Amino acid sequence: MTKDLERDLGLFAVIAISMGAMIGSGIFILPGIAMAEAGPAVIVAFVIAAILVVPAALSIAELGTAMPEAGGDYVFIERGLGPSFGTIAGLGTWLMLMLKGSLALYGGMFYINFIYELPTWDLAVPVIGATLPIPGVRALGITFALILIAVNLVGVKQTGGLQLVMVIVMLIILSGFVAGSIVQVEGANFEGFFDDGIDGILTATALVLVSYAGVTKVAAVAEEIENPGRNLPLGLLGSLTATSFLYALIVFVLVGVMDGDQLADTEEPMAEATQILFGGMTASVPGLGSGVPIGFLAVITIILAALLALVSTANAGILTASRYPLALSRDDLFLKKFEYIHPRFNTPSVAILTTGAVIVFIVATQEVDEIAKMAGAFQILVYILVCGALIAFRERDLEWYDPDFFTPGYPWVQLFGIVSGVFIISQMEIREIAGSIAIVIVGFLWFKLYAQKRIEREGVAKGLARREAGRQFVRDTEEQLERTDQFEVLIPIRQDVTREQEDALIQMAAPIVQRRGGRIRVVRFDEVPDQVPLDTAAAELSEADVEFEERTDELVRYLEVPVEVGEIVSHDTRHAVVNFAERTGADLVLARQEATSRLGTLFGRDTDWIMEHAPCDVVFVQHEQRVDVSEIAVITDRSPFNDPLKVELADAMADVLGARLRFLFAVSEDAPDELIETIEEYHAELDDLCTVPVESTVIRADDEVDDLSSELESSDIVMLSTVTHRRLPDLVVEQRSDRIAAAIEQPVLLVHSKKTRRGSFLRPILERVLFD
């Protein structure tokens, strides 16, 4: 029997947990660094940063009530956008939390250095036979990091009560600071408020955004929240509002009581401001007598608050950061060694040690502002993915997705979060932009090279994209089938075409013209050497010319469509075909094509040139022969969705020839059931649109070509899609349509539409992502 967690966290507890995760580096370290970027307008930067967090906070609130057991933003993204994006989010969040922990550790040591100048430590390095001087601030930060790593290894955890007490103490201290200092704010310090411009504000916004990184972490305990549909969103928004108001108020005081250059040059702004305001103050205290140094006590109190907040943040950073490689490992997305749990302490020791080692490295080598900017960039990346995940869940319309809270303003709130996040990243320095791009690339490559072969699941966004693609193809197909304009078909033939081959081509062209109206133009293109004048060649009427006209007249007598016959003499047949199609307004070029070896594609084929330059759709026929048709098979390549033109041609031929249609698609042995369902739904939609019976066949295949060839034995005509051959790439990897056409004996129609040509760049990429 499974056990449920008690829902005993009320609204106040949610706010306390969320504020406790936020209050830290944002107010004790970053105001001075951000001041250097934005000037007095740093206040605006803190407010803008809070606004940018709102879409992600609302999305997390909805996802947390829909999946309270999921445990956080990584799993929401993994389920919504798929394992590849989950890998990127997991690695990005892991790095962000390590950076945030490093920022708290390194920045916190400046407060100790404020009252006691920390000496430089000399580290002996036996490998190089020298000593390495380490500044005292870094050395003490590394020491605290090692202590916290040890604490996390043995499993000592903060309790909810301790967190609540710490937040209350922090709020009392910070409120007392504001109350005692706001009356001393000088308006002159705000002169030139916007002198650093919008660029400075945006840079500062990206810098301080990490201040609000903890707001979404409360979703990890959503299963323990009483009435989560109310308390989780109210708690998140309430804590975000209170924290941003507190931040803005404190930054307002800091700017108002400190000289701008002094504030911009300090790593411990709260201690500096407290000393300026209360440094020389003394007072009489009952029991302690007169002359008690109130200023010194105030500075000590602020430093104590800073250390409590920052060390707590660093400890929570190590604790939560180490759980991300653990979760990735358990989901088969990362090295299995990170799943190791210490047998004595029951902690993920490998994940903790690795996380701690990275934090020690960051503290030892990076500057405070660099750490903050990089952490902010990764946090924005995760916020963008969270908003995308919510859209995926909503649009998929899943039966089990039933949150207690729905984000107001959907989807505009999420779209704002995505767009604003991308914009803020674009305003960062090259290093942060490169870091964000690098984590995406590394995460995607890691998934492709390591994780993809180990998992079979996929995110709801992939299924959503497939379904939407299928709906769009159905709409396009319906529009294509409803067209009533007349259809002009050009059949270009060479001198060596036999009567039987010509007859087969006309048989395939006639049905579409019969349905739509129009005519067929059968034109023989005679190519003569460049040194022979065209007028001379055209004036000569050979026996072959007479025979062509006579046999064509005989072939078309049984057809119920108009057929025109003509001859064109040229020096270059492929140019002549394209020019004639353009001049006569042809809608379709239907031509025979010999099977070509892969080596032949290296030097370029006339058929590829015609596909690329023709003003209309093109169909090439292989193994052409006149046959009795009872079944027409329609196959697609990577995507199960057929080009609307191909469906119209197949439906018209089947209707006129009294045949049935069969749509086939081959998937891999490990293809998810959701993909099969999507394909079957699409085929069912086609059955409703087509005028003839439709059969759906989806096969799981190890070797798609061999298995499809076996399935096609009962078909009389096979229709495939084709694209322009890319010479060298096709020499290495032959197109699947070419391999299937070569493996069967039936007539094959290779369809290439103008829409396929227009979308040729992105379409293969999208098909690979959605259907591989």
Side-chain angles (χ1 to χ4, degrees), residues 74-347:
Y74 152 68
V75 180
F76 298 155
I77 294 168
E78 198 272 345
R79 287 191 181 185
L81 300 181
S84 59
F85 285 99
T87 304
I88 295 169
L91 294 177
T93 306
W94 186 23
L95 281 173
M96 185 276 298
L97 291 171
M98 288 189 290
L99 288 163
K100 186 181 180 185
S102 303
L103 177 65
L105 279 173
Y106 185 25
M109 299 309 103
F110 283 101
Y111 279 84
I112 294 179
N113 191 66
F114 186 79
I115 56 174
Y116 173 74
E117 186 173 352
L118 298 170
T120 298
W121 293 8
D122 292 326
L123 177 66
V125 185
V127 177
I128 62 175
T131 58
L132 181 66
I134 301 178
V137 173
R138 291 190 189 276
L140 190 59
I142 293 172
T143 302
F144 268 92
L146 294 174
I147 294 172
L148 294 177
I149 292 168
V151 168
N152 277 273
L153 280 173
V154 299
V156 176
K157 299 180 181 179
Q158 292 174 312
T159 64
L162 179 61
Q163 179 80 350
L164 184 60
V165 170
M166 189 198 77
V167 171
I168 293 174
V169 171
M170 285 287 304
L171 290 176
I172 291 173
I173 293 174
L174 293 176
S175 299
F177 170 82
V178 171
S181 58
I182 197 167
V183 295
Q184 301 186 50
V185 168
E186 296 183 11
N189 287 357
F190 294 94
E191 292 179 0
F193 193 80
F194 291 110
D195 282 358
D196 288 290
I198 188 64
D199 291 340
I201 294 175
L202 292 176
T203 301
T205 299
L207 179 70
V208 304
L209 197 137
V210 71
S211 308
Y212 303 102
V215 67
T216 60
K217 298 299 177 275
V218 74
V221 295
E223 195 175 359
E224 303 168 60
I225 296 175
E226 179 185 5
N227 190 9
R230 171 184 177 273
N231 290 335
L232 183 56
L234 285 180
L236 286 174
L237 293 178
S239 63
L240 180 60
T241 302
T243 303
S244 60
F245 180 76
L246 180 64
Y247 279 171
L249 199 58
I250 292 176
V251 173
F252 171 77
V253 170
L254 292 175
V255 174
V257 300
M258 295 179 68
D259 179 73
D261 293 336
Q262 183 182 11
L263 177 57
D265 192 43
T266 181
E267 283 86 5
E268 57 282 335
M270 293 291 290
E272 290 271 10
T274 303
Q275 187 174 58
I276 292 172
L277 292 170
F278 309 108
M281 293 178 59
T282 60
S284 297
V285 179
L288 297 179
S290 61
V292 175
I294 297 298
F296 177 75
L297 293 177
V299 171
I300 293 297
T301 302
I302 284 293
I303 290 175
L304 178 62
L307 290 176
L308 278 175
L310 295 173
V311 173
S312 174
T313 297
N315 183 52
I318 294 175
L319 176 69
T320 56
S322 62
R323 269 52 180 180
Y324 279 86
L326 172 66
L328 286 164
S329 177
R330 285 177 171 173
D331 289 342
D332 296 319
L333 298 176
F334 207 53
L335 300 174
K336 297 304 290 181
K337 64 180 65 177
F338 283 89
E339 194 176 349
Y340 175 76
I341 303 297
H342 194 281
R344 179 180 176 185
F345 302 119
N346 291 320
T347 56

Side-chain angles (χ1 to χ4, degrees), residues 651-764:
D651 185 51
M653 291 179 66
D655 185 24
V656 173
L657 300 175
R660 64 180 178 275
L661 280 183
R662 187 180 182 201
F663 292 99
L664 289 92
F665 188 70
V667 298
S668 61
E669 290 285 359
D670 57 353
D673 293 337
E674 291 83 357
L675 174 58
I676 306 295
E677 293 174 4
T678 300
I679 299 170
E680 291 174 344
E681 289 176 7
Y682 169 66
H683 287 170
E685 295 274 6
L686 292 183
D687 188 23
D688 293 336
L689 294 177
C690 292
T691 57
V692 297
V694 169
E695 179 183 344
S696 171
T697 303
V698 182
I699 61 172
R700 293 183 182 269
D702 288 326
D703 188 311
E704 293 184 12
V705 174
D706 288 344
D707 291 339
L708 279 173
S709 300
S710 300
E711 285 287 336
L712 292 171
E713 291 179 357
S714 63
S715 303
D716 303 299
I717 293 178
V718 177
M719 299 187 71
L720 296 161
S721 296
T722 188
V723 295
T724 305
H725 291 74
R726 298 161 297 174
R727 297 194 178 186
L728 187 57
D730 284 304
L731 180 63
V732 179
V733 181
E734 189 177 17
Q735 286 189 15
R736 195 182 72 157
S737 57
D738 290 339
R739 289 188 289 140
I740 295 174
I744 61 178
E745 298 179 354
Q746 302 97 313
V748 177
L749 275 66
L750 298 164
V751 181
H752 181 78
S753 73
K754 289 185 292 185
K755 288 184 179 179
T756 302
R757 186 156 65 242
R758 285 197 297 267
S760 59
F761 175 71
L762 288 178
R763 184 172 177 177

Side-chain angles (χ1 to χ4, degrees), residues 641-661:
F641 307 125
N642 291 283
D643 186 277
L645 172 67
K646 188 162 61 171
V647 177
E648 182 187 19
L649 294 175
D651 185 51
M653 291 179 66
D655 185 24
V656 173
L657 300 175
R660 64 180 178 275
L661 280 183

Side-chain angles (χ1 to χ4, degrees), residues 466-756:
R466 288 199 198 107
R467 290 174 184 268
E468 184 54 39
R471 294 189 188 104
Q472 185 59 53
F473 271 94
V474 169
R475 290 192 290 268
D476 292 345
T477 302
E478 184 176 17
E479 182 179 338
Q480 181 80 22
L481 291 173
E482 291 177 350
R483 292 181 60 180
T484 58
D485 51 313
Q486 293 192 341
F487 210 78
E488 300 277 336
V489 180
L490 169 63
I491 301 179
I493 60 176
R494 292 180 181 270
Q495 292 172 307
D496 57 351
V497 171
T498 66
R499 172 194 176 100
E500 289 75 19
Q501 291 169 333
E502 184 183 348
D503 190 19
L505 293 174
I506 294 174
Q507 179 197 25
M508 294 173 185
I512 187 69
V513 176
Q514 279 186 264
R515 170 178 287 188
R516 285 253 211 114
R519 59 184 165 182
I520 300 173
R521 296 180 188 267
V522 182
V523 180
R524 192 175 77 171
F525 288 83
D526 296 339
E527 187 171 317
V528 298
D530 291 342
Q531 60 269 29
V532 177
L534 293 179
D535 55 352
T536 302
E540 296 177 357
L541 189 63
S542 65
E543 291 183 7
D545 297 333
V546 175
E547 192 272 335
F548 164 71
E549 294 179 2
E550 290 177 349
R551 83 176 186 220
T552 303
D553 290 340
E554 183 179 344
L555 287 173
V556 301
R557 287 194 184 101
Y558 67 90
L559 295 176
E560 298 178 2
V561 297
V563 178
E564 292 186 4
V565 179
E567 296 178 58
I568 299 291
V569 179
S570 71
H571 294 310
D572 187 331
T573 298
R574 64 182 187 179
H575 279 85
V577 170
V578 169
N579 291 338
F580 186 84
E582 188 168 9
R583 187 170 65 252
T584 59
D587 298 296
L588 178 71
V589 173
L590 180 72
R592 64 186 299 270
Q593 172 183 280
E594 296 285 352
T596 307
S597 66
R598 274 194 273 180
L599 185 60
T601 66
L602 181 62
F603 303 102
R605 305 188 310 177
D606 288 347
T607 52
D608 290 319
W609 193 93
I610 291 173
M611 275 192 285
E612 188 173 348
H613 294 88
C616 58
D617 301 320
V618 180
V619 176
F620 290 107
V621 184
Q622 285 185 200
H623 315 307
E624 67 283 353
Q625 54 185 298
R626 186 173 178 82
V627 293
D628 293 329
V629 181
S630 59
E631 180 180 282
I632 299 174
V634 183
I635 307 173
T636 50
D637 197 358
R638 291 191 180 277
S639 162
F641 307 125
N642 291 283
D643 186 277
L645 172 67
K646 188 162 61 171
V647 177
E648 182 187 19
L649 294 175
D651 185 51
M653 291 179 66
D655 185 24
V656 173
L657 300 175
R660 64 180 178 275
L661 280 183
R662 187 180 182 201
F663 292 99
L664 289 92
F665 188 70
V667 298
S668 61
E669 290 285 359
D670 57 353
D673 293 337
E674 291 83 357
L675 174 58
I676 306 295
E677 293 174 4
T678 300
I679 299 170
E680 291 174 344
E681 289 176 7
Y682 169 66
H683 287 170
E685 295 274 6
L686 292 183
D687 188 23
D688 293 336
L689 294 177
C690 292
T691 57
V692 297
V694 169
E695 179 183 344
S696 171
T697 303
V698 182
I699 61 172
R700 293 183 182 269
D702 288 326
D703 188 311
E704 293 184 12
V705 174
D706 288 344
D707 291 339
L708 279 173
S709 300
S710 300
E711 285 287 336
L712 292 171
E713 291 179 357
S714 63
S715 303
D716 303 299
I717 293 178
V718 177
M719 299 187 71
L720 296 161
S721 296
T722 188
V723 295
T724 305
H725 291 74
R726 298 161 297 174
R727 297 194 178 186
L728 187 57
D730 284 304
L731 180 63
V732 179
V733 181
E734 189 177 17
Q735 286 189 15
R736 195 182 72 157
S737 57
D738 290 339
R739 289 188 289 140
I740 295 174
I744 61 178
E745 298 179 354
Q746 302 97 313
V748 177
L749 275 66
L750 298 164
V751 181
H752 181 78
S753 73
K754 289 185 292 185
K755 288 184 179 179
T756 302

